[in-house]
Amino acid sequence: MLKNIYLAGGCFWGTEKVFKILNGVTETTVGYANGHTENPTYEEVCTDTTGHRETVKVSYDTDRISLEKILTAYFMVIDPTVQNMQGADIGTQYQTGVYYEDKEDLTIIEKFFSKEKDKYTSFFVELLPLSCFWTAEEYHQDYL
């Protein structure tokens, strides 16, 4: 069965690269998630006024890869202890987050988050239903 999960991990170029190479991921698309403006541009998202996160839509085949494996890869490449930044990238668009479409995924994600939170004294990864996703400009797709 094909499903989607949306992962904000800082700059979407590097985040997308991680998931493109996972066996079972069928497609990745970079874009902007869960903000309050329609069809934002990269320049608008970088103003810290849209509420959008740089996010990767990860489409995957549940017969070939589990959501747990995808989340394991995700937590290997992010720093969950910082807010509104990853590495040298600072701004609200770089906030980490997991955004789901399917309520059935929430139980899996919450269980995974619970284990991850036990590893850190601070934890800032958002966990929310997907409210919107706007595909980023073509020049951002498959950048790396």
Side-chain angles (χ1 to χ4, degrees):
M1 176 164 75
L2 295 179
K3 291 187 89 171
N4 299 314
I5 192 73
Y6 297 78
L7 305 170
C11 177
F12 47 36
W13 296 339
T15 307
E16 179 186 40
K17 180 73 171 176
V18 169
F19 296 101
K20 282 191 101 45
I21 62 172
L22 290 181
N23 187 22
V25 170
T26 59
E27 184 178 8
T28 59
T29 305
V30 300
Y32 314 110
N34 281 23
H36 52 79
T37 61
E38 290 190 18
N39 202 23
T41 65
Y42 179 72
E43 290 74 20
E44 290 169 339
V45 170
C46 289
T47 66
D48 280 344
T49 61
T50 68
H52 286 284
R53 310 299 190 218
E54 288 193 21
T55 302
V56 180
K57 175 185 178 183
V58 178
S59 302
Y60 64 101
D61 181 344
T62 61
D63 293 329
R64 296 175 53 210
I65 190 168
S66 67
L67 180 54
E68 290 92 345
K69 285 189 179 184
I70 290 171
L71 292 172
T72 297
Y74 174 72
F75 276 96
M76 289 175 70
V77 298
I78 65 159
D79 179 353
T81 68
V82 295
Q83 190 172 29
N84 295 329
M85 66 182 295
Q86 286 292 292
D89 295 323
I90 299 171
T92 57
Q93 75 269 28
Y94 300 118
Q95 175 59 46
T96 54
V98 175
Y99 312 114
Y100 60 92
E101 292 178 321
D102 186 342
K103 276 192 164 191
E104 291 180 12
D105 291 339
L106 182 57
T107 303
I108 295 167
I109 301 166
E110 285 177 331
K111 183 177 178 183
F112 202 94
F113 268 48
S114 179
K115 290 178 185 175
E116 287 298 315
K117 286 178 181 178
D118 287 345
K119 297 177 185 179
Y120 307 101
T121 56
S122 59
F123 188 86
F124 291 102
V125 183
E126 294 179 330
L127 173 55
L128 298 166
L130 182 72
S131 62
C132 63
F133 179 80
W134 301 95
T135 301
E137 298 83 349
E138 188 59 37
Y139 70 93
H140 288 298
Q141 307 300 322
D142 301 313
Y143 188 82
L144 299 178

